Amino acid sequence: MHEPTRTSTTPATRYGDPILYPTAIQQPVMLPAELPPGVEMVTLPGGYRTLAYTLPGAPAAPAPAAAQPVPTWAKTTALLAPTVGGGIAAAGFGISYAAPGLIAMTEALWAAIALIAAGTLAPLLLRTARGSAGRGAAPVQHVTQNISASGMFGRANGTINHR
């Protein structure tokens, strides 16, 4: 700590010490209101009182915040999370059991597509193969069919004409 010193013929005294010698120079006394910020009057271990710079005290800990209520959206989300997770788990479980059936249905669908394609393309291929044999185009035949029946439960008769 800084101890002010004076050049004097009398023994040195510190600021605030009681006056022991009447010939000592009296230091001016500062009022507490006149002290600059960070300066305080302190008492040293030897009993002397002096001005000293002090460290600012630690700020008081903030009061604990009051408990906030849980928002409604958070409650709703917390309640929906297990439901949605369970639904996803059930869907995955169901798909794992359905996978062999889905594979079989896919194979059947490809077989049906192949059958339809073969049924559509077969007449075209036969027509081109018949026409490329060198015999020329085959004559177009008209087939007519006449069917008649008498009465509601009568026997039906029919004729087929090739022209």
Side-chain angles (χ1 to χ4, degrees):
M1 299 272 172
H2 176 71
E3 295 183 16
T5 58
R6 289 177 287 158
T7 309
S8 173
T9 58
T10 60
T13 58
R14 294 188 177 106
Y15 181 81
D17 285 347
I19 301 175
L20 300 176
Y21 305 100
T23 59
I25 299 173
Q26 177 70 32
Q27 294 287 333
V29 177
M30 294 180 69
L31 297 174
E34 296 175 349
L35 296 176
V39 175
E40 291 183 20
M41 179 70 72
V42 295
T43 303
L44 298 174
Y48 296 110
R49 295 186 67 204
T50 184
L51 294 174
Y53 288 103
T54 57
L55 298 173
Q68 298 287 335
V70 177
T72 305
W73 65 266
K75 289 179 185 178
T76 304
T77 303
L79 291 173
L80 283 177
T83 305
V84 172
I88 291 171
F93 191 70
I95 288 173
S96 70
Y97 269 106
L102 291 174
I103 292 170
M105 287 191 324
T106 305
E107 297 289 333
L109 182 63
W110 281 114
I113 291 171
L115 182 65
I116 292 170
T120 305
L121 295 176
L124 296 174
L125 293 174
L126 289 175
R127 225 177 245 163
T128 57
R130 198 181 317 156
S132 65
R135 297 180 299 175
V140 177
Q141 293 187 356
H142 293 282
V143 177
T144 58
Q145 190 174 16
N146 297 321
I147 300 173
S148 61
S150 58
M152 186 170 188
F153 296 106
R155 190 171 181 172
N157 294 320
T159 57
I160 297 176
N161 298 320
H162 294 280
R163 293 187 191 172

